[in-house]
């Protein structure tokens, strides 16, 4: 069914003790969507993203991936999420972290083949070929045999993107992928992400780069207090926001843009 | 003091010392391998996602860290045979005591090493669909063991020196043999000097080698 969303999120909630970080998120992510999630720090945007590949286990609501609702319902309790089911979903929902989190004891190629070899049990030759193709896509084919410590931040993040892409996910999550980078290295990472969006890959992107969101995303979400405050195409949300909190947020961000 | 050193009286009994050396090396190798392996198992259990594994591991560590090895060796050698229907050899009793004690200490080293690894490494493994077990084996342990190498070297040295406790239950290792020679010849100075030098001669090159290994691994980072 082609109009079945890749991800259907209903009433998603997450609490850390008494702290209700997400208060019921609803969202459909369709094939080819590039959704930018904006919001002040503490708005819950990163937690939301991390719930979608179960880096955080939701305390309420449902996530349905490709028609299958993840986890098993328990009466009167949050859903149960067995590891075997989560490892399956995570292969289809790739994630890129702010801090790259490359494996420092493996070469660049080793980083990218790890999931293919250990999770998908691909043989070495096939995994190497696949990994080199992904490294080529992010422009780092010649760095395959280097260790991550020899790479710049921008190169590390591109390897991290290749590592996620190698598993052929049907959805990519980017959690502030350029926030840890020196300003002059941001561009090369955004270029790669933009290329993926133009290929029609489905992605969710938590970012502070409002300009990038405007040009690349087809939908923008503004979050505050663990809820979606405003949602729509970038021209609407970013140029004529209706919600006063979105207006205030954007006013702060535009302060220094010329 | 005008003591006349006479190492000849020790040299005469070199056969006995050789027996002691073999005994020391045998118990050391047994305790090193079993102590560190058991320590890794207990350390992993201590850090397990299952509570049923965590607290017995914690109890094990605390018990064996906080009781003297010599008391454990005596317990296995003198007390255990009264409870169990069989005798226990000095090697077994001493190896048990030293192994359990080293396991408790090295479990803490393994746990500390594992915990020192950035949680982002776990997340990166999970994000590509790896299971807890595979992340531990492929991502976390290889990095943790590099960091633990100095502490594990120390543990190895401690184990080597702890083997002398086996002499208390008449296991024929170096110290026990030296005491035998000393009591026959009335030459404790020479006998114990030779034992001290023997330990130094064995341990020092090993320690130098591990320093070199640490430097090589640090370069790889």
């Amino acid at each position: 069914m082609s109009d079945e969303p890749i991800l259907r999120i209903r009433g998603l909630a997450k609490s850390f003790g008494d702290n209700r970080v997400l208060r019921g998120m609803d969202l459909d992510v369709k094939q080819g969507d590039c959704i930018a999630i904006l919001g002040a720090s503490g708005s819950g945007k990163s937690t939301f993203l991390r719930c979608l590949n179960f880096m955080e286990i939701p305390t309420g609501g449902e996530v349905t991936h490709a028609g299958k609702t993840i986890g098993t319902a328990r009466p009167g309790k949050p859903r149960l999420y067995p590891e075997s089911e989560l490892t399956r979903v995570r292969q289809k929902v790739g994630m890129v972290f702010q801090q790259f989190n490359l494996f420092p004891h493996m070469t660049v190629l080793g980083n990218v083949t790890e999931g293919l070899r250990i999770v998908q049990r691909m043989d070495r030759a096939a995994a190497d070929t696949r990994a080199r193709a992904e490294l080529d896509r992010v422009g780092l084919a010649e760095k395959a045999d280097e260790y991550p410590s020899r790479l710049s931040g921008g190169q590390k993040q591109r390897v991290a993107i290749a590592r996620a892409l190698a598993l052929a996910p049907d959805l990519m999550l980017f959690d502030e992928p350029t926030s840890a980078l020196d300003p002059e290295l941001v561009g090369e990472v955004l270029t790669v992400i933009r290329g993926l969006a133009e290929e029609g890959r489905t992605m969710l992107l938590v970012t502070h780069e409002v300009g990038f969101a405007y040009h690349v995303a087809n939908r923008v979400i503004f979050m505050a207090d663990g809820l979606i405050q405003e949602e729509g195409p970038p021209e609407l949300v970013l140029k004529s926001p209706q919600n006063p909190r979105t207006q205030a947020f954007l006013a702060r961000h535009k302060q220094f843009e010329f | 003091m005008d003591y006349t050193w006479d190492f000849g009286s020790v040299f005469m009994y070199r056969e006995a010392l050789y027996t002691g050396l073999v005994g020391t090396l045998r118990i050391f190798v047994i305790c090193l391998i079993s102590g560190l392996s058991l320590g890794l198992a207990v350390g992993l259990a201590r850090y397990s996602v299952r509570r049923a594994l965590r607290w017995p591991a914690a109890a094990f560590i605390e018990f064996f860290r906080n009781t003297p090895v010599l008391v454990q060796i005596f317990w296995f050698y003198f007390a255990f045979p009264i409870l169990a229907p069989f005798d226990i050899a000095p090697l077994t009793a001493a190896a048990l005591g030293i192994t359990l004690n080293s396991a408790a200490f090295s479990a803490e080293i393994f746990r500390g090493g594992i915990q020192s690894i950035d949680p982002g490494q776990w997340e990166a493994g999970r994000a590509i669909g790896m299971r807890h077990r595979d992340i531990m084996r492929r991502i976390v342990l290889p990095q943790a063991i590099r960091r633990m190498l100095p502490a594990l070297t120390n543990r190895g040295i401690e184990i080597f020196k702890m083997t002398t406790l086996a002499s208390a239950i008449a296991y024929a290792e170096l110290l026990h043999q030296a005491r035998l020679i000393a009591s026959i010849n009335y030459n404790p100075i020479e006998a114990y000097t030779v034992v001290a030098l023997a330990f130094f001669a064995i341990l020092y090159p090993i320690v130098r080698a591990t320093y070199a290994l640490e430097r090589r691994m640090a370069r790889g980072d």
Side-chain angles (χ1 to χ4, degrees), chain B residues 41-81:
Chain B
V42 174
L44 288 177
R46 184 76 185 74
Y47 198 61
S48 167
V49 283
R50 283 182 212 127
R51 187 174 309 208
L53 284 178
R54 273 205 308 268
W55 80 256
F60 174 92
I61 291 168
E62 290 313 323
F63 183 78
F64 286 104
R65 270 210 311 183
N66 295 303
T67 46
V69 183
L70 193 54
V71 173
Q72 286 161 28
I73 293 175
F74 277 6
W75 192 89
F76 281 117
Y77 192 60
F78 297 114
F80 186 67

Side-chain angles (χ1 to χ4, degrees), chain A residues 128-170:
Chain A
D128 281 2
T129 309
R130 176 100 187 79
R132 284 182 195 280
E134 292 303 340
L135 285 171
D136 196 36
R137 182 207 296 272
V138 299
L140 290 172
E142 80 285 3
K143 298 285 185 190
D145 298 318
E146 296 279 10
Y147 280 86
S149 58
R150 310 255 303 166
L151 304 182
S152 73
Q155 292 172 330
K156 283 181 189 168
Q157 192 61 299
R158 284 148 66 196
V159 172
I161 293 171
R163 177 172 69 180
L165 289 175
L167 298 176
D170 52 23

Side-chain angles (χ1 to χ4, degrees), chain A residues 164-215:
Chain A
L165 289 175
L167 298 176
D170 52 23
L171 171 68
M172 288 281 285
L173 308 174
F174 292 90
D175 188 5
E176 302 196 24
T178 58
S179 297
L181 295 175
D182 292 336
E184 74 270 22
L185 302 176
V186 168
E188 60 185 83
V189 173
L190 291 184
T191 304
V192 168
I193 297 174
R194 180 175 204 149
L196 296 175
E198 283 164 359
E199 281 174 26
R201 281 188 181 265
T202 316
M203 59 177 80
L204 269 81
L205 173 76
V206 168
T207 185
H208 293 294
E209 307 277 343
V210 177
F212 182 73
Y214 180 81
H215 290 293

Side-chain angles (χ1 to χ4, degrees), chain A residues 54-114:
Chain A
F54 303 90
M55 291 291 109
E56 307 287 353
I57 299 297
T59 44
E62 292 179 0
V63 177
T64 303
H65 173 260
K68 189 183 175 313
T69 303
I70 313 302
T72 29
R74 290 181 298 179
K77 280 194 193 168
R79 300 177 74 84
L80 187 72
Y81 296 98
E83 188 186 34
S84 58
E85 196 176 349
L86 296 189
T87 55
R88 256 200 320 278
V89 178
R90 286 168 180 154
Q91 292 173 54
K92 301 311 276 177
V93 182
M95 181 170 236
V96 173
F97 301 90
Q98 184 178 343
Q99 299 294 342
F100 333 128
N101 296 340
L102 293 184
F103 307 131
H105 59 304
M106 297 179 182
T107 61
V108 163
L109 189 69
N111 268 272
V112 183
T113 54
E114 183 69 5

Side-chain angles (χ1 to χ4, degrees), chain A residues 50 53 55 83 87 90-91 93 95 97 101-106 114-115 118-119 121 149 163 167, chain B residues 118 120-121 123-134 137-140 142-143 146 220-221:
Chain A
R50 290 164 56 80
N53 69 342
M55 291 291 109
E83 188 186 34
T87 55
R90 286 168 180 154
Q91 292 173 54
V93 182
M95 181 170 236
F97 301 90
N101 296 340
L102 293 184
F103 307 131
H105 59 304
M106 297 179 182
E114 183 69 5
I118 302 302
V119 180
R121 310 233 163 260
S149 58
R163 177 172 69 180
L167 298 176
Chain B
D118 172 18
Q121 293 289 305
E123 292 199 340
R126 278 207 297 276
I128 55 172
M130 293 176 82
R131 291 173 300 175
H132 182 91
R133 182 172 16 141
D134 288 329
R137 182 175 62 87
R138 303 264 318 161
I139 311 293
V140 174
Q143 296 182 60
R146 280 186 194 192
D221 270 347

Side-chain angles (χ1 to χ4, degrees), chain A residues 21-40:
Chain A
V21 178
L22 297 178
R23 297 162 183 259
M25 303 278 296
D26 296 316
L27 186 70
D28 282 350
V29 182
K30 297 188 192 68
Q31 177 74 45
D33 265 348
C34 175
I35 303 177
I37 306 171
L38 305 178

